[in-house]
Amino acid sequence: MVFRDSVIGLFLVTLSVVFFIGTWEFPDVGGHVSPRVFPRVICGFMFLFAGILLLRSLVTIFRGRTASAPLPRLEPSAWMHAICRSWRLLAAGGVALAYVLFIDDVGYVVATALFLAAMTMLYAERRWYVIVPLAVVGTGVLYLTFRILFKVPLPRFDMF
């Protein structure tokens, strides 16, 4: 477990540095918030938290506390719960893939609203009076953040 945390932490630290370096190629737009800012903030937080994970695991390894307790025997209900979580994760990946594939065809607003509604339903919310406002408000907040605040051009539906 500790060794796995150190590998994951090292991978994420490296990934954040690579992505941060990649932001140097982004255009610098004067007058507004630069397109470089948001990815750099995300990379900075990823670097910080992955560094903490890496540091904690390395300290644990060097202090010699790497011995782990034997794995507990899982009951059938625990296995079923783990399988259901895996299926939900795979379905979420499929919904995300569909979102990426269809965003250019149906536009940002429609694709994002459908994506948020599908993800909400996927994680066991069935009440339409919760799903619809969440999808509409979530899409609106994301649209305002990226299109209005960050001036990011978003895919549009050709019919509008």
Side-chain angles (χ1 to χ4, degrees):
M1 177 84 166
V2 175
F3 179 72
R4 182 177 56 186
D5 286 348
S6 60
V7 170
I8 290 171
L10 182 62
F11 173 75
L12 291 175
V13 164
T14 305
L15 191 65
S16 66
V17 169
V18 167
F19 282 144
F20 188 86
I21 291 170
T23 63
W24 289 106
E25 296 180 14
F26 289 6
D28 191 16
V29 180
H32 298 288
V33 178
S34 172
R36 297 177 182 179
V37 172
F38 185 71
R40 286 183 178 177
V41 168
I42 297 300
C43 288
F45 278 115
M46 187 166 73
F47 182 84
L48 175 70
F49 294 129
I52 291 170
L53 177 67
L54 178 62
L55 185 63
R56 283 185 58 192
S57 64
L58 290 177
V59 165
T60 304
I61 288 171
F62 288 126
R63 285 188 178 168
R65 286 191 263 156
T66 57
S68 61
L71 293 174
R73 183 170 179 264
L74 293 178
E75 298 299 320
S77 62
W79 279 104
M80 289 304 294
H81 182 68
I83 290 170
C84 288
R85 257 190 308 165
S86 299
W87 280 108
R88 196 172 278 162
L89 182 63
L90 288 173
V95 169
L97 179 63
Y99 174 71
V100 170
L101 292 175
F102 293 115
I103 192 168
D104 287 331
D105 297 329
V106 298
Y108 177 80
V109 174
V110 173
T112 303
L114 291 174
F115 172 76
L116 291 176
M119 292 301 280
T120 304
M121 288 188 299
L122 186 63
Y123 284 94
E125 181 58 59
R126 298 290 182 249
R127 297 171 294 182
W128 65 269
Y129 57 87
V130 173
I131 295 169
V132 171
L134 184 100
V136 170
V137 171
T139 301
V141 167
L142 291 170
Y143 183 83
L144 290 173
T145 301
F146 289 102
R147 180 71 187 123
I148 306 301
L149 180 64
F150 291 123
K151 305 290 185 203
V152 175
L154 301 172
R156 296 178 64 144
F157 184 51
D158 292 335
M159 297 296 287
F160 299 124

